[in-house]
């Protein structure tokens, strides 16, 4: 699978149109005057942010922007956590868990404080 992207080398602001593909555990980036082969483990891929292009960050400061979000997801699947970050159900579950922990802490602290005040008399 080939994806089109825009590569910035980190030294100049000039965009370079490139194509991306995955070969085993390496990402192959090819453009008119650029060829890069990088280990997938050495790349930083931030989680998706709204409808912005997906990013691939290289260790040397270069970055690649991929507009095809669906193709990117097929070529480089997101971590499980990224799916959780975009789910309202997980957010609601974490909110309810946080609230229940706060209520339990409040009740425990109130009981402990009451017993402490009674001992002080």
């Amino acid at each position: 699978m080939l994806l089109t992207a825009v590569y910035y080398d980190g030294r100049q602001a000039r965009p370079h149109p490139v194509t991306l593909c995955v070969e085993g555990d390496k990402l192959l980036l090819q453009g008119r005057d650029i060829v890069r082969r990088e280990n997938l483990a050495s790349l930083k891929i931030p989680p998706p942010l709204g409808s912005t292009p997906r990013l691939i960050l290289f260790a040397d400061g270069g970055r690649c922007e991929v507009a095809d979000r669906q193709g990117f997801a097929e070529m480089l699947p997101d971590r499980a956590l990224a799916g959780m970050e975009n789910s309202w159900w997980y957010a609601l579950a974490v909110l309810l868990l946080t609230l229940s922990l706060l209520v339990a802490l409040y009740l425990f602290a109130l009981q402990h404080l009451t017993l402490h005040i009674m001992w002080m008399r």
Side-chain angles (χ1 to χ4, degrees):
M1 167 180 232
L2 282 176
L3 286 178
T4 59
V6 178
Y7 173 71
Y8 297 91
D9 62 14
R11 292 182 293 276
Q12 299 175 345
R14 188 171 69 105
H16 302 275
V18 295
T19 59
L20 302 173
C21 71
V22 174
E23 296 177 342
D25 64 342
K26 296 194 181 295
L27 177 74
L28 175 62
L29 180 142
Q30 290 180 316
R32 196 175 98 194
D33 52 352
I34 299 169
V35 175
R36 284 189 79 155
R37 211 176 241 104
E38 299 284 334
N39 286 327
L40 290 174
S42 69
L43 302 174
K44 290 185 182 176
I45 301 174
L49 182 63
S51 60
T52 61
R54 294 300 308 267
L55 294 177
I56 300 172
L57 305 175
F58 296 90
D60 64 356
R63 77 178 205 180
C64 196
E65 296 180 1
V66 182
D68 182 2
R69 295 170 56 85
Q70 184 176 356
F72 186 91
E74 291 172 9
M75 187 171 80
L76 296 167
D78 289 332
R79 311 170 322 264
L81 184 59
M84 292 173 132
E85 290 171 347
N86 294 324
S87 170
W88 285 101
W89 292 109
Y90 284 112
L92 183 61
V94 169
L95 177 65
L96 291 175
L97 178 64
T98 303
L99 289 175
S100 62
L101 287 173
L102 286 174
V103 168
L105 180 63
Y106 172 76
L107 293 175
F108 175 76
L110 185 63
Q111 180 184 13
H112 184 70
L113 185 61
T114 304
L115 289 174
H116 182 66
I117 290 173
M118 288 178 64
W119 271 114
M120 296 291 286
R121 289 184 178 204

